[in-house]
Amino acid sequence: MTLSRRARILIGIAVLIIGGGAALFQRYWYYIPGIVSQLRDPVAPPRPVVWEKGPDTPAVPADKRKPNIILILADDLGFNDLTFGGGGVANGAVRTRSIDSIAEGGVTFRQGYAGNATCAPSRAAILTGRYATRFGFEFTPVPVQFAKLLAHNGGVGGGKAIYHDEREAEVPPMASMAVPAKETTIAELLKRNGYHTLWFGKWHLGETEASRPEARGFDETLGFYSGGSMYLPKNDPQVVNSFQDFDSIDKFLWANLPFAVTNNGGKRFAPSEYMTDYLADEAVKSIAANRNRPFFMYLAFNAPHTPLQALKSDYDALSNISDHRLRVYAAMIRGLDRGVGKVLASLQENGLDENTMVIFTSDNGGAHYIGLPEINRPFRGWKATFFEGGIRVPFFIRWPAAIPAGTTLESPVGHVDIFTTAAAAAGVPLPQDRTYDGVDLLSFISGKSTGRPHESLFWRSGPYKTLLAGDWKLQVDGTQKKAWLFNVTNDPTEKTNLAASEAAALSDMQAKLAKVDAEQSKPLWPSLLEGTIAIDHPQDTPMKPDDEVIYWSN
């Protein structure tokens, strides 16, 4: 029996559809996480947010009660992105007056270090006062599909990549990659001691009901749980976009990120304006609502993290910058500084400026994958490296009632100190059942404590480990069995590797690193990807055989 001509045609069409579908799937499979997310939790239109109102009259005057504490965190801000200290994006084209004023009006930490060289572990260290590796939060939570896409396209830096498919079975769903419940966050500690606690922006520390900010000490919340968000819809007439076609991370973000927030754990909805302004404006409303009681605010902007999207009005104001990508990035910095300025102005308007501690920093250094070479100058390295460009960050605290304007602290301090310093400012004792890696920086600012706040600072991401102790900094990359030893007092830009010539110092630092490393916990989930990152040029510059690289595990 032979098939009719019609049947053969239908079979041929079916084969073409199936084959075409398979080809489309192979090409566009990385869109799936965003599609699934939208089906599971559609993004509703914008809606107003109502902030819980505190007392109509204060029980204690603002200058007599415990200080308000506002932690403002930028995302992937380069060390050279601020004009304070003579720097500034695009040769100072964007004056960051508001952020600079925090430094000018308080204390600048000349050697301020991030908790880690990537987003989530650094945030975990900030909120707990402990190295994130102490409790296994070693790697940034990402979907398996994301790690696969990076591996397929040469890893995080466009060079060599090692993908551990044998570990996939050990990887939990991304939503459950979280800070363990046994860890105490600064929000939990302050809430138990009379503070009203608020979170805005980026979380990235767990997406299950038990690990979201609503369950980790925050009374009111507004933001997104994952590691990023759009600033506006891609085709919005108010936005100007920059696409990095050389970057796999950018490719994944544009395919999957929504323009959405959630309020107090509810369903997602779209913000009413550009994300940076939206978060700042809502923070301002919450300050007014809480002006008569002590509050702790964690304002975690996603700027200037990719995707690179600027308000058209900010972009148009920077017509002197000819490079499109740099101009979009600079416009994002302009928006970030405006958002910080709104918060500072609100403190003045509500009579809270004098007795509010404002902390400003970035989760890590600027990213190589945006292709802008100047953002971490004068330091080598990028986000995802433990060179200074990856972990040396702007770090300022302003509290007019307690910190003299123009104060500086030269010794190394870290993100782990934010928890302990905030607790000290609030007069809250630390829990005694665990090791804290942070110290009370106020005691060093005041001169009550002398010497260096830390004997050492430690970082780890898989076989890539680093210790800063005294004048020395040792980096060990176990994947390529390489060590870098720098005297950072004499060589702060890490130009001269002394590992071969300073045998005694190398041996001493190796022993110290091994001791601290042994105190850390096993990762809660394994890394799937080890990718190379060139230390001395951004990702849009092709790799060369003689490039110095690190292998970053995630």
Side-chain angles (χ1 to χ4, degrees), residues 137-454:
F137 198 95
E138 189 157 341
F139 308 117
T140 292
V142 297
V144 172
Q145 300 97 322
F146 180 71
K148 282 185 174 178
L149 176 67
L150 292 184
H152 179 73
N153 289 280
V156 289
K160 296 178 182 177
I162 302 169
Y163 185 75
H164 295 282
D165 54 3
E166 76 280 5
R167 299 175 182 172
E168 281 188 11
E170 303 172 53
V171 178
M174 179 181 164
S176 62
M177 297 177 181
V179 172
K182 63 182 176 61
E183 293 299 319
T184 298
T185 70
I186 186 60
E188 290 169 325
L189 186 68
L190 294 176
K191 181 178 179 178
R192 291 199 295 261
N193 287 274
Y195 276 75
H196 190 72
T197 54
L198 307 124
W199 164 74
F200 296 83
K202 174 174 169 175
W203 182 241
H204 213 186
L205 297 176
E207 299 182 31
T208 63
E209 286 190 14
S211 60
R212 293 171 183 171
E214 298 83 30
R216 301 312 309 266
F218 288 96
D219 293 306
E220 297 183 89
T221 65
L222 180 68
F224 41 92
Y225 303 131
S226 64
S229 172
M230 301 293 283
Y231 295 83
L232 277 172
K234 181 168 60 175
N235 298 319
D236 191 292
Q238 296 184 81
V239 77
V240 179
N241 304 311
S242 176
F243 304 95
Q244 280 60 256
D245 55 5
F246 52 83
D247 175 35
S248 299
I249 295 174
D250 204 55
K251 188 176 183 179
F252 189 89
L253 296 182
W254 285 104
N256 291 287
L257 287 185
F259 177 56
V261 291
T262 182
N263 177 217
N264 296 337
K267 296 292 186 179
R268 297 190 302 178
F269 62 94
S272 57
E273 58 182 329
Y274 182 72
M275 182 65 79
T276 305
D277 285 312
Y278 177 75
L279 295 173
D281 288 340
E282 292 298 331
V284 164
K285 294 176 187 176
S286 75
I287 290 171
N290 288 282
R291 64 182 178 274
N292 290 327
R293 61 181 172 186
F295 64 84
F296 167 65
M297 177 186 293
Y298 174 34
L299 176 53
F301 289 108
N302 54 317
H305 195 294
T306 51
L308 298 187
Q309 293 187 289
L311 266 183
K312 188 175 185 301
S313 55
D314 288 327
Y315 183 86
D316 290 346
L318 299 173
S319 59
N320 56 314
I321 302 175
S322 58
D323 180 85
H324 172 71
R325 188 191 312 150
L326 180 59
R327 186 172 170 184
V328 170
Y329 184 80
M332 294 175 75
I333 300 296
R334 189 175 193 260
L336 174 64
D337 190 67
R338 177 174 61 249
V340 172
K342 291 178 180 181
V343 172
L344 298 179
S346 178
L347 294 175
Q348 289 274 8
E349 291 163 6
N350 287 282
L352 303 175
D353 181 65
E354 186 72 12
N355 198 30
T356 296
M357 172 188 279
V358 178
I359 306 165
F360 179 88
T361 188
S362 175
D363 59 348
N364 46 250
H368 67 294
Y369 50 73
I370 60 174
L372 298 176
E374 306 287 337
I375 55 176
N376 293 324
R377 292 287 173 88
F379 301 116
R380 296 179 74 190
W382 312 92
K383 172 185 180 178
T385 81
F386 294 142
F387 279 78
E388 297 288 279
I391 53 175
R392 187 89 162 255
V393 290
F395 194 177
F396 316 128
I397 300 179
R398 183 180 184 273
W399 183 11
I403 300 174
T407 303
T408 60
L409 194 66
E410 301 292 338
S411 299
V413 300
H415 278 166
V416 289
D417 299 321
I418 291 173
F419 181 109
T420 38
T421 302
V428 176
L430 298 178
Q432 297 299 304
D433 61 344
R434 65 201 65 197
T435 298
Y436 280 96
D437 297 298
V439 301
D440 170 21
L441 295 176
L442 296 174
S443 65
F444 289 90
I445 294 167
S446 66
K448 181 179 179 181
S449 297
T450 58
R452 297 169 71 97
H454 295 277

Side-chain angles (χ1 to χ4, degrees), residues 460-471:
R460 185 179 81 187
S461 184
Y464 181 34
K465 307 167 188 179
T466 296
L467 188 76
L468 176 69
D471 296 334

Side-chain angles (χ1 to χ4, degrees), residues 121-138:
S122 192
R123 292 160 194 269
I126 288 171
L127 290 188
T128 65
R130 288 155 47 86
Y131 297 140
T133 45
R134 282 202 185 275
F135 46 89
F137 198 95
E138 189 157 341

Side-chain angles (χ1 to χ4, degrees), residues 460-522:
R460 185 179 81 187
S461 184
Y464 181 34
K465 307 167 188 179
T466 296
L467 188 76
L468 176 69
D471 296 334
W472 295 101
K473 180 180 174 186
L474 174 67
Q475 299 187 60
V476 176
D477 185 338
T479 300
Q480 58 181 326
K481 294 180 173 55
K482 181 168 182 176
W484 292 269
L485 179 68
F486 300 105
N487 184 315
V488 288
T489 300
N490 298 332
D491 182 20
T493 56
E494 299 173 293
K495 290 289 195 280
T496 305
N497 184 3
L498 301 174
S501 60
E502 294 283 353
L506 177 63
S507 178
D508 178 60
M509 286 294 291
Q510 286 173 328
K512 288 177 178 176
L513 188 150
K515 183 177 183 296
V516 179
D517 188 38
E519 298 172 2
Q520 312 305 305
S521 296
K522 178 183 176 182

